[in-house]
Amino acid sequence: MKTKQFAEKEIWFVTGSQHLYGPETLKKVAANSQEIAGFLNDSEHSPVSIIFKPVLTNPNSIRELFMQANHNDSCIGIITWMHTFSPSKMWIAGLKMINKPILHLHTQYNRDLPWGEIDMDFMNLNQAAHGDREHGYIYSRMRKNRKVVAGYWKEENVQSRLGIWMRAALAWDDLQNCKIARIGDNMREVAVTEGDKVEAQIQFGYSVNTFGIGDLVQYVEAVGQSDINDLLAVYDAQYILSTDIQKDGVKRKKLADAAKIELGMRNFLKAGNFKAFTTTFEDLHGLTQLPGLAVQRLMADGYGFGGEGDWKTSALVRALKTMAAGLKGGTSFMEDYTYHLHPSGAMVLGAHMLEVCESIASEKPRLEMHPLGIGGKDDPARLIFGVQQGPAINLSCIDMGDRFRFILNDVDVIDAPERLPKLPVAHAVWIPKPNLQIASESWIYAGGAHHTVFSQALNSEYIRDFAEIASTELVVIDSKTQVSDLKNELKWNDIYYSFRK
Ligand code: MN
């Protein structure tokens, strides 16, 4: 299904051939390709339009098309397919310059061979089996990152895997002009939330710039009472409010403060055209409470967020929210908070001080105000909820000094074994794959952060595609992981990435 948010974005479908076959065959190649492109465009798995491009048969037309793609802001990626044989030296000039994500589709127009009818005309037309091998060679020879998808084009699995890549390409496109506002610096003395912002911009496209808390406070102070009243009405309608913050409740005024902060933050982010942001509890001068509810609701609207100045995770939240747009299941900033180490089943209780996105809520959130030991401010408002059981991923991004590394863990969210009546924050309970011991040892060897992006809408294939496009190391911890293998992988990666530069 096309995602409205990305209505102006498109994928170009490019078929390669050559003049050797004569005009009749080339006409058939074009007609077949157009049919495939149209079919894939109509697939419910395609979040954006797939545009058929004329069949390419010589070096100049290939170079020209790729040049156009580079300069076309709507084009977020290219699918290539060799219906017939297209000598790959013709592609070198184009591939040298292309800077959009590439997917090499290895399919065939005919699903079944008409055994009794096959003649040399048929053989000449249906040559992807060797045409795509020639095509794959030149990508490999030129060390071009791409996704290869093999299979019959009408198969659900093929469409779904194309759709996953398209979503990764969308996230990549979105990051290229993504501005992140870092409100205050990171939490003092913390290492993993630091990083090289210049290198991140070179590698991922997004920019991170710091703003003093006063820049935000200005916007908060400018919020009018009628806007606050309107937002309070939204809270009343959307959440289950504790008695003390309901209309005429003793703390209603404090909830109005939270609404004022939310409106100020919205206006600040809108005015600066920011797609993501960070806050830190160590710099709240001029705010009456730590923005909890505001951050939760902004994340639900698609903003990236990282706590304690964690701009890398903020960017990643934004990227994964873009990938997941319109899909079932939510995506949130998350933190591995505390463990249940019972021998019958070790698990993680994930949460944050306040800032978990309501897109992952399994129930209507409760809105409450409770004291927060950290920050020394008024009791902050926050949404409290649990999370639906089912598969999910946790993803971290760290700066290794010479490169960035993604670390992903497949997890199974479960219902909490018991109620948590005294826990005043949103939370999720999960069992990491293959189990907590192997997953946490692996995560720690890999240097993964306590902060992650948690998503129930995405799986590891989205992240593999995204890492490929971003040309970034990805360490996956899943049901097959063994610590000894993973330690070797980390060592080999160190060598690979130091040679690659
Ligand atoms: Mn944190």
Side-chain angles (χ1 to χ4, degrees):
M1 206 172 11
K2 301 282 179 289
T3 311
K4 241 193 220 159
Q5 199 178 330
F6 311 114
E8 81 286 6
K9 298 297 180 186
E10 54 196 39
I11 299 284
W12 291 6
F13 190 94
V14 174
T15 312
S17 190
Q18 60 180 328
H19 284 294
L20 192 71
Y21 307 108
E24 274 316 302
T25 303
L26 283 180
K27 245 188 241 168
K28 275 186 202 152
V29 167
N32 293 166
S33 299
Q34 200 157 6
E35 188 185 335
I36 293 176
F39 180 86
L40 295 174
N41 176 57
D42 293 340
S43 165
E44 61 169 32
H45 295 285
S46 298
V48 293
S49 300
I50 296 178
I51 310 290
F52 170 79
K53 292 289 168 183
V55 176
L56 300 176
T57 53
N58 62 66
N60 273 343
S61 60
I62 293 167
R63 189 173 160 274
E64 261 169 44
L65 187 89
F66 282 179
M67 210 149 52
Q68 284 170 24
N70 278 352
H71 290 109
N72 189 311
D73 211 28
S74 298
C75 175
I76 60 158
I78 291 178
I79 296 174
T80 60
W81 171 54
M82 302 302 113
H83 190 339
T84 49
F85 198 84
S86 182
S88 274
K89 288 205 277 185
M90 300 198 311
W91 290 76
I92 291 174
L95 291 182
K96 259 172 83 175
M97 71 170 68
I98 188 68
N99 61 19
K100 300 280 166 126
I102 294 172
L103 184 143
H104 179 185
L105 176 62
H106 182 45
T107 191
Q108 180 169 284
Y109 179 72
N110 268 60
R111 192 190 69 179
D112 302 333
L113 286 182
W115 300 101
E117 307 295 320
I118 294 180
D119 55 12
M120 278 322 283
D121 284 347
F122 182 93
M123 298 288 271
N124 273 338
L125 184 62
N126 296 282
Q127 295 190 10
H130 61 285
D132 273 330
R133 281 175 160 73
E134 165 76 358
H135 194 56
Y137 165 71
I138 203 64
Y139 280 135
S140 291
R141 169 72 189 262
M142 294 174 75
R143 273 70 172 175
K144 294 297 277 186
N145 287 18
R146 79 281 193 191
K147 181 178 192 177
V148 180
V149 174
Y152 183 53
W153 48 286
K154 283 187 179 169
E155 271 171 24
E156 179 101 20
N157 174 265
V158 168
Q159 296 164 49
S160 143
R161 295 187 60 214
L162 289 178
I164 288 170
W165 170 79
M166 284 184 228
R167 287 179 171 279
L170 270 171
W172 179 252
D173 178 68
D174 178 74
L175 279 193
Q176 300 318 300
N177 61 0
C178 173
K179 290 170 64 184
I180 301 178
R182 193 179 189 211
I183 303 166
D185 201 84
N186 79 325
M187 182 180 166
R188 286 186 277 276
E189 302 285 7
V190 175
V192 80
T193 52
E194 289 281 11
D196 184 338
K197 300 199 283 286
V198 176
E199 195 55 36
Q201 189 166 351
I202 293 168
Q203 174 117 20
F204 300 114
Y206 63 75
S207 65
V208 184
N209 285 290
T210 298
F211 292 82
I213 188 74
D215 297 317
L216 172 62
V217 168
Q218 263 186 337
Y219 281 87
V220 174
E221 290 306 321
V223 171
Q225 190 58 45
S226 72
D227 289 339
I228 294 174
N229 293 341
D230 290 349
L231 188 54
L232 285 170
V234 171
Y235 295 167
D236 288 335
Q238 284 188 11
Y239 310 118
I240 302 162
L241 277 64
S242 57
T243 328
D244 55 348
I245 55 173
Q246 289 174 5
K247 259 178 211 157
D248 305 321
V250 287
K251 286 190 184 166
R252 182 72 169 185
K253 174 74 184 59
K254 299 286 183 191
L255 184 64
D257 288 348
K260 191 175 175 179
I261 291 172
E262 177 182 334
L263 290 162
M265 288 184 92
R266 278 186 191 278
N267 292 339
F268 170 82
L269 293 169
K270 227 178 273 169
N273 208 15
F274 298 111
K275 295 177 177 177
F277 65 103
T278 67
T279 59
T280 173
F281 63 86
E282 285 182 328
D283 190 357
L284 294 174
H285 307 290
L287 291 183
T288 50
Q289 49 182 280
L290 176 66
L293 175 63
V295 170
Q296 291 179 294
R297 287 173 45 81
L298 285 161
M299 255 195 285
D301 287 347
Y303 284 98
F305 173 77
E308 295 94 50
D310 187 350
W311 51 270
K312 295 193 299 299
T313 305
S314 179
L316 216 49
V317 169
R318 170 68 189 192
L320 269 60
K321 278 185 172 287
T322 306
M323 271 181 237
L327 296 179
K328 202 170 152 276
T331 298
S332 177
F333 174 63
M334 188 55 79
E335 182 170 301
D336 290 71
Y337 219 111
T338 190
Y339 291 141
H340 181 62
L341 294 176
H342 196 275
S344 71
M347 58 191 75
V348 181
L349 176 58
H352 201 253
M353 280 189 307
L354 305 169
E355 308 93 337
V356 174
C357 175
E358 63 180 293
S359 67
I360 61 171
S362 61
E363 59 209 352
K364 188 172 181 175
R366 281 145 53 205
L367 176 51
E368 299 179 9
M369 290 184 114
H370 298 279
L372 182 72
I374 291 168
K377 293 280 174 175
D378 285 353
D379 301 353
R382 81 285 306 273
L383 298 171
I384 305 169
F385 50 84
V387 175
Q388 194 79 41
Q389 54 177 304
I393 55 167
N394 278 321
L395 181 66
S396 170
C397 179
I398 59 166
D399 185 341
M400 288 294 290
D402 59 351
R403 65 184 186 275
F404 291 98
R405 170 184 285 165
F406 295 141
I407 302 119
L408 180 146
N409 189 195
D410 283 337
V411 304
D412 272 324
V413 179
I414 56 165
D415 288 333
E418 291 181 42
R419 288 190 58 249
L420 301 117
K422 292 187 174 172
L423 183 67
V425 289
H427 52 272
V429 180
W430 64 78
I431 301 175
K433 288 192 171 178
N435 58 49
L436 178 58
Q437 184 195 342
I438 294 175
S440 58
E441 285 179 11
S442 301
W443 189 273
I444 285 168
Y445 275 123
H450 55 294
H451 283 170
T452 57
V453 189
F454 167 94
S455 179
Q456 294 188 300
L458 307 172
N459 59 36
S460 60
E461 187 168 352
Y462 290 87
I463 310 305
R464 285 184 195 280
D465 289 358
F466 182 72
E468 178 80 12
I469 293 169
S471 211
T472 300
E473 180 187 9
L474 169 63
V475 176
V476 173
I477 301 162
D478 60 15
S479 56
K480 294 188 221 94
T481 296
Q482 291 186 22
V483 175
S484 52
D485 292 345
L486 184 122
K487 284 177 74 177
N488 283 334
E489 178 185 342
L490 296 175
K491 286 177 191 161
W492 297 331
N493 283 3
D494 257 344
I495 295 168
Y496 168 76
Y497 283 95
S498 56
F499 272 105
R500 198 193 60 165
K501 294 247 158 181

